Amino acid sequence: MSFIIFNRCCKKKKAFDMKLSEQIEAKHIQSDIARECVQVMENQVNGKKGMTGVLFKTLYAGIRALGADYAYRATLNLLSATSKALDPLWEKGLSENAPVAYLKNNSSLTAETILSVTDAKIAKAHNKIVKATYQKVRNTLEEEITQAVPPIADILGKYVQ
């Protein structure tokens, strides 16, 4: 009897039993994910052309002016809440045995979910420059985040299982 009780309460959860947020809660994993997500963002910004490119490169230069690691720190700061917000989508993907593919195939919904976390955080922000800049580009960001979902989903998939 004691073995059964031990087995039920102390048995380690398997990855498919765990939420995305539980699988990436370790600080070193979050740090790695944040670094890779910032790289995705930088690649997107650097790949922009025309007026949109000028806009995003100028905005990103402004973010970097706040600190060389500002984008990393902001991403890391949002990661826990973002992963919790993505849990229902991840679980839906798990039910189809393909959580990464599910996020990619539902990139608009995934982007909206990510941005809902960012919107809530920005609403509470004290930095007026960051707040004003975000509000100016919020609508454009939805398209940009939607385009970034496939590599972000791949990054998340890399750190779970």
Side-chain angles (χ1 to χ4, degrees):
M1 180 68 165
S2 63
F3 174 74
I4 294 171
I5 293 170
F6 173 80
N7 223 10
R8 285 186 186 155
C9 74
C10 301
K11 192 175 178 181
K12 191 173 183 179
K13 283 185 173 181
K14 295 179 183 172
F16 59 82
D17 292 334
M18 297 173 68
K19 295 179 180 184
L20 171 65
S21 58
E22 293 172 333
Q23 293 186 64
I24 65 167
E25 66 186 358
K27 295 296 180 200
H28 70 281
I29 292 174
Q30 287 188 1
S31 179
D32 290 347
I33 290 171
R35 286 187 202 293
E36 290 189 43
C37 286
V38 168
Q39 188 60 54
V40 167
M41 180 174 52
E42 288 176 353
N43 290 344
Q44 267 192 280
V45 169
N46 291 335
K48 293 292 172 201
K49 305 269 188 254
M51 290 304 290
T52 303
V54 171
L55 171 68
F56 275 95
K57 288 174 184 175
T58 302
L59 291 173
Y60 196 68
I63 289 170
R64 290 189 60 87
L66 296 171
D69 68 340
Y70 187 85
Y72 164 76
R73 289 184 290 117
T75 303
L76 185 60
N77 193 18
L78 290 169
L79 192 54
S80 183
T82 301
S83 65
K84 286 177 185 167
L86 289 172
D87 277 341
L89 301 178
W90 190 263
E91 289 175 19
K92 176 72 173 154
L94 280 174
S95 73
E96 298 174 7
N97 294 317
V100 171
Y102 185 83
L103 293 181
K104 290 178 180 183
N105 292 336
N106 295 279
S107 57
S108 292
L109 179 57
T110 303
E112 288 173 27
T113 302
I114 292 168
L115 283 169
S116 71
V117 174
T118 309
D119 291 345
K121 185 73 171 180
I122 291 293
K124 298 175 188 174
H126 298 290
N127 188 319
K128 291 179 183 178
I129 295 170
V130 171
K131 200 171 192 174
T133 302
Y134 181 81
Q135 290 169 346
K136 286 180 184 176
V137 298
R138 170 55 175 86
N139 291 334
T140 308
L141 282 177
E142 190 163 343
E143 181 180 325
E144 296 302 318
I145 299 296
T146 300
Q147 292 173 12
V149 166
I152 290 170
D154 287 336
I155 291 166
L156 294 173
K158 177 178 160 182
Y159 290 95
V160 299
Q161 311 300 351

